Amino acid sequence: MPGERDKATTVLSMVGLPARGKTYIGRRVARYLSWLGHPTRVFNVGSYRRRQIGASQPADFFAPTNKEGRQVLHDLAMTALDDMLAWLREGGEVGIFDATNSTKERRRLVEERCRKEGLPVVFIESFCNDPGVIEANVRDTKLKSPDYVDMDPDAAAQDFLRRIAHYESMYETLDDPNQSYIKIIDVGRQVILNRIHGYLPARLAPLLIDLHVSPRPIWLTRHGQSDYNRHGRIGGDPELSPAGEEYAKHLAEFVRKNAPRDQEVAVWTSTLRRTIHTATKITRSPRTWRALDEIDAGVCDGMTYDQVRIEMPDVWAARSADKFRYRYPRGESYEDVIQRLDPVIIQLERQRSPTLVIAHQAVLRAIYAYLMDRPPGECPSISVPLHTVIQLTPTAYGCEEKRFALPPYVEDQGAGG
């Protein structure tokens, strides 16, 4: 029944002119909330348009004087809104309505429809008048969309700018003091929060303040092989093995060779010796994060997996049945690791320079799942081998991945995660 929902159930409605990054923001928010364990889905009206009436619609189709075109666009938006509300009724938690929603009348209609379902609405507006940012967005994302496949780039740009002009002629920015909204001005130069209440909307503010698409590599790597790795033991705070010491040298060479010359590399480690010692050939003062420490194995710390299987068969069976949610006795689960990594992710989004994260298997699996938009439940099966650098380069709608295996090769005993 309407109104009988979990309190976290929320609608986030995007607002903004074309080429202002609405879809980028919506997808990033969806990735973040899904990673934190909140079922989230984006309902993009542009995708409905392309699917139902085709991609190649000229700019004049979007003109306010084109009554037939405006009615078609309205109907498509309402279809997307209907689908989102149906999905939320079926158990979804956060629905993101990705459309221009450029008039007060449209936003009032969205609010009314959601209010009938007992759903709170938070509008997220991306407001930007910087010609350089707009032109870059048009060139880097819009001209690569299905709307302009096989079209001359200059002609496509002109057509899209005419489309933007049509929307500008009827655009009304968010200014209703009674509405809940987050307004992002000029890609984070200023962020305005109005009537933001509740757990989820408040949690989004730090993420939205620092979102950007500055190209920079994010390098993820486990520490060099440790003495515990050699013997398949879980957790602990052991020293590096001789092979691990050698890996630290090769990692430093990799960073020197691949880091941009004009940028300083931020090096982050856990507080455990094996990650700090892996970083010593690169910097004497890495930034240490307790949040990057390996998953806490509780009473199983220091044991081998064979010992756990033989001496604690109930623990072994329960963790094998649900490795993501199972919490070691007096320890942690992967779900716990994700929650404590939240501030690391926010800071990682803020970074504009290359960042090297030297951490542990379970922790890096969780970070990788966030950056690559993998379901959190897949964390335990993500491959993060020893002596391997995973390079992830953020793009407008995801990350490009490359992997580099560095010497020396070592057998991975599977300990740590």
Side-chain angles (χ1 to χ4, degrees):
M1 296 288 294
E4 296 180 358
R5 300 177 182 276
D6 186 277
K7 291 182 180 179
T9 308
T10 304
V11 170
L12 304 175
S13 181
M14 306 306 300
V15 176
L17 291 166
R20 266 59 173 187
K22 296 185 305 300
T23 296
Y24 166 75
I25 293 169
R27 290 183 181 182
R28 294 294 279 271
V29 167
R31 185 178 79 181
Y32 176 69
L33 293 178
S34 297
W35 179 75
L36 287 173
H38 305 285
T40 304
R41 184 177 296 180
V42 177
F43 293 80
N44 176 267
V45 175
S47 296
Y48 279 73
R49 170 177 56 79
R50 286 184 282 271
R51 187 164 58 245
Q52 295 191 26
I53 65 173
S56 301
Q57 302 298 326
D60 288 344
F61 177 80
F62 302 89
T65 54
N66 182 351
K67 293 184 179 180
E68 182 179 349
R70 299 310 302 172
Q71 186 62 49
V72 169
L73 292 172
H74 172 82
D75 292 345
L76 289 170
M78 292 303 100
T79 299
L81 186 60
D82 287 340
D83 289 350
M84 181 187 71
L85 295 175
W87 178 76
L88 291 169
R89 282 194 294 270
E90 293 165 3
E93 188 171 341
V94 182
I96 299 178
F97 184 50
D98 182 13
T100 55
N101 294 313
S102 55
T103 66
K104 293 179 180 180
E105 176 62 23
R106 168 60 62 79
R107 298 193 289 269
R108 181 192 61 75
L109 179 57
V110 171
E111 273 193 309
E112 285 183 355
R113 293 286 306 279
C114 293
R115 193 179 299 121
K116 288 180 181 178
E117 299 280 337
L119 293 168
V121 180
V122 178
F123 293 101
I124 301 176
E125 180 179 13
S126 180
F127 184 91
C128 180
N129 282 330
D130 185 328
V133 172
I134 297 167
E135 182 179 354
N137 203 358
V138 170
R139 295 282 179 183
D140 294 343
T141 60
K142 295 302 179 182
L143 300 192
K144 298 175 184 177
S145 80
D147 287 358
Y148 295 108
V149 172
D150 298 328
M151 190 171 179
D152 175 74
D154 291 331
Q158 289 302 313
D159 181 85
F160 194 78
L161 290 173
R162 286 197 298 273
R163 184 192 303 187
I164 292 174
H166 289 314
Y167 278 99
E168 284 178 329
S169 68
M170 54 184 173
Y171 188 73
E172 297 172 300
T173 188
L174 285 168
D175 59 8
D176 187 338
N178 296 313
Q179 288 180 324
S180 295
Y181 64 78
I182 302 173
K183 181 183 288 191
I184 306 161
I185 299 174
D186 292 338
V187 199
R189 178 181 59 80
Q190 184 180 7
V191 177
I192 299 172
L193 308 181
N194 188 72
R195 291 186 175 269
I196 296 302
H197 309 290
Y199 167 76
L200 283 181
R203 198 159 189 176
L204 290 179
L207 178 77
L208 294 173
I209 287 170
D210 293 308
L211 281 184
H212 65 90
V213 288
S214 300
R216 81 282 187 195
I218 298 171
W219 293 308
L220 308 179
T221 184
R222 290 166 68 182
H223 51 80
Q225 184 195 56
S226 71
D227 290 331
Y228 267 33
N229 290 134
R230 291 173 63 192
H231 301 101
R233 294 192 179 278
I234 304 168
D237 191 15
E239 295 284 1
L240 294 178
S241 70
E245 295 280 4
E246 187 178 347
Y247 175 71
K249 297 176 184 177
H250 288 288
L251 178 61
E253 293 172 3
F254 172 88
V255 172
R256 282 193 291 270
K257 184 181 296 185
N258 290 279
R261 292 184 179 180
D262 59 339
Q263 294 182 308
E264 184 176 351
V265 176
V267 181
W268 298 356
T269 73
S270 73
T271 65
L272 301 176
R273 289 182 295 183
R274 55 194 185 274
T275 63
I276 295 171
H277 291 175
T278 302
T280 54
K281 304 297 182 184
I282 304 168
T283 177
R284 293 183 179 180
S285 54
R287 178 171 182 178
T288 58
W289 295 77
R290 190 168 296 280
L292 289 175
D293 286 358
E294 180 57 297
I295 189 170
D296 185 348
V299 298
C300 299
D301 192 72
M303 299 175 70
T304 66
Y305 282 117
D306 279 343
Q307 282 180 297
V308 176
R309 180 174 53 82
I310 294 168
E311 299 174 21
M312 307 177 73
D314 291 345
V315 169
W316 179 265
R319 192 161 193 261
S320 298
D322 189 354
K323 194 174 179 181
F324 178 71
R325 293 180 179 83
Y326 179 77
R327 180 177 291 127
Y328 280 110
R330 298 206 293 272
E332 290 182 302
S333 66
Y334 271 88
E335 275 189 317
D336 297 327
V337 169
I338 283 177
Q339 295 304 315
R340 66 167 155 94
L341 280 172
D342 188 17
V344 175
I345 292 299
I346 296 299
Q347 184 63 35
L348 197 57
E349 291 284 14
R350 183 176 297 148
Q351 288 293 113
R352 294 177 182 270
S353 60
T355 305
L356 170 65
V357 182
I358 304 173
H360 310 267
Q361 184 168 237
V363 168
L364 293 177
R365 283 170 166 168
I367 295 174
Y368 178 95
Y370 170 76
L371 292 170
M372 296 301 289
D373 198 15
R374 296 273 292 272
E378 293 183 6
C379 281
S381 62
I382 292 171
S383 174
V384 184
L386 282 169
H387 296 188
T388 300
V389 177
I390 302 173
Q391 176 177 290
L392 302 179
T393 305
T395 63
Y397 297 128
C399 280
E400 296 176 352
E401 177 180 358
K402 293 182 180 179
R403 294 193 175 214
F404 304 88
L406 305 183
Y409 171 79
V410 293
E411 192 72 31
D412 197 338
Q413 300 294 327

